Amino acid sequence: MVAVLNDFQKDVKISVNEKALYKVSRLVEAFSGFRISANKPVVGENVFTQTAGIHADGDKKKNLYYNDLMPERFGRKRKYALGKTSGKANIENNLTQLGIQLSDEDLKIVTQRIIELGDKKETVTQDDLPYIISDVLDSHTIGEKVTVEDYVLTHSKSMRPSTTVRLKFEDGVVEEHASGDGQYDAFMNALTRIYSKRNYHFPGFAIILCAFRQAVKRTLFVKRLLPGN
């Protein structure tokens, strides 16, 4: 209604901030318990998600499919679905958001893999892309700038679980200890302390999960992290 009034009833003046609509709708959803339909105009989760590669390609070509209801107007961002209908442009846009560049040949291989996963009804998200790339490409496309050197996970009857983690960066090794509500929580707290100590901006969640998966994939207390989990 707010968008309709602003676009078609120029003589009607309202003071609603369009960029706040999505955030407010999520608050209403949380407190009311009524879920918002994914395709609901303006505030639906998927209304600004491009599924076809041709539309994603149009976005790259100076907003070829521009219209008045652009996501930026409502404080939202474009998303590009990954699946059986994904084109090269969809994947390129997701890779750009992650700061990853691939050669044309490697991009074709990754695209084909994503289409295969879509045919199997698998859900593919942007966070899955680093895993898919490492699985299907023989080259070391993504350099391991952070690796888990060692870790210790402790648990006892009357004490909080704790973790000591040692990470290797390009310029040295950093070790930190932390406790938490569980071993996973303790591990993530230790990572946070390490990055806080180095005065880094906290890295992308996908990078943290890559490090975490390396550390826990051989342990018994947690299932191995796989794309989609």
Side-chain angles (χ1 to χ4, degrees), residues 154-155 159-163 178-187 189-190:
T154 62
H155 183 75
M159 299 176 64
R160 299 184 73 197
S162 63
T163 305
S179 59
D181 294 330
Q183 291 173 313
Y184 174 87
D185 187 50
F187 189 97
N189 288 341

Side-chain angles (χ1 to χ4, degrees), residues 49-103:
T49 299
Q50 302 284 14
T51 56
I54 187 172
H55 292 144
D57 187 57
D59 286 342
K60 294 178 60 178
K61 295 176 178 177
K62 298 181 179 180
N63 286 330
L64 187 61
Y65 299 102
Y66 177 84
N67 62 73
D68 290 332
L69 299 178
M70 300 302 284
E72 293 80 9
R73 171 178 168 181
F74 304 102
R76 303 189 61 185
K77 295 181 179 180
R78 294 176 178 84
K79 293 183 180 180
Y80 301 94
L82 298 171
K84 62 185 301 182
T85 61
S86 294
K88 185 173 72 173
N90 283 56
I91 299 168
E92 280 184 319
N93 287 332
N94 278 282
L95 291 174
T96 298
Q97 292 174 3
L98 290 173
I100 298 175
Q101 291 184 334
L102 297 178
S103 66

Side-chain angles (χ1 to χ4, degrees), residues 71-209:
E72 293 80 9
R73 171 178 168 181
F74 304 102
R76 303 189 61 185
K77 295 181 179 180
R78 294 176 178 84
K79 293 183 180 180
Y80 301 94
L82 298 171
K84 62 185 301 182
T85 61
S86 294
K88 185 173 72 173
N90 283 56
I91 299 168
E92 280 184 319
N93 287 332
N94 278 282
L95 291 174
T96 298
Q97 292 174 3
L98 290 173
I100 298 175
Q101 291 184 334
L102 297 178
S103 66
D104 289 341
E105 189 61 34
D106 288 344
L107 185 59
K108 289 180 182 178
I109 297 173
V110 173
T111 301
Q112 183 58 39
R113 178 57 175 160
I114 290 174
I115 292 173
E116 290 172 359
L117 291 171
D119 285 334
K120 296 177 181 178
K121 308 297 183 183
E122 296 285 349
T123 300
V124 182
T125 68
Q126 188 181 91
D127 288 339
D128 297 326
L129 281 175
Y131 302 122
I132 294 173
I133 292 172
S134 65
D135 286 341
V136 301
L137 299 183
D138 293 331
S139 61
H140 298 289
T141 305
I142 302 178
E144 293 187 355
K145 295 185 178 181
V146 182
T147 56
V148 178
E149 280 276 288
D150 209 346
Y151 62 94
V152 176
L153 306 169
T154 62
H155 183 75
S156 63
K157 181 180 178 182
S158 56
M159 299 176 64
R160 299 184 73 197
S162 63
T163 305
T164 300
V165 181
R166 183 186 301 146
L167 295 187
K168 181 179 180 181
F169 296 86
E170 293 178 306
D171 58 351
V173 176
V174 180
E175 181 178 307
E176 192 59 68
H177 177 85
S179 59
D181 294 330
Q183 291 173 313
Y184 174 87
D185 187 50
F187 189 97
M188 299 305 286
N189 288 341
L191 289 180
T192 302
R193 286 190 177 185
I194 289 175
Y195 281 93
S196 297
K197 179 184 291 186
R198 292 176 62 87
N199 293 321
Y200 275 9
H201 293 296
F202 204 78
F205 192 58
I207 299 175
I208 286 295
L209 282 183

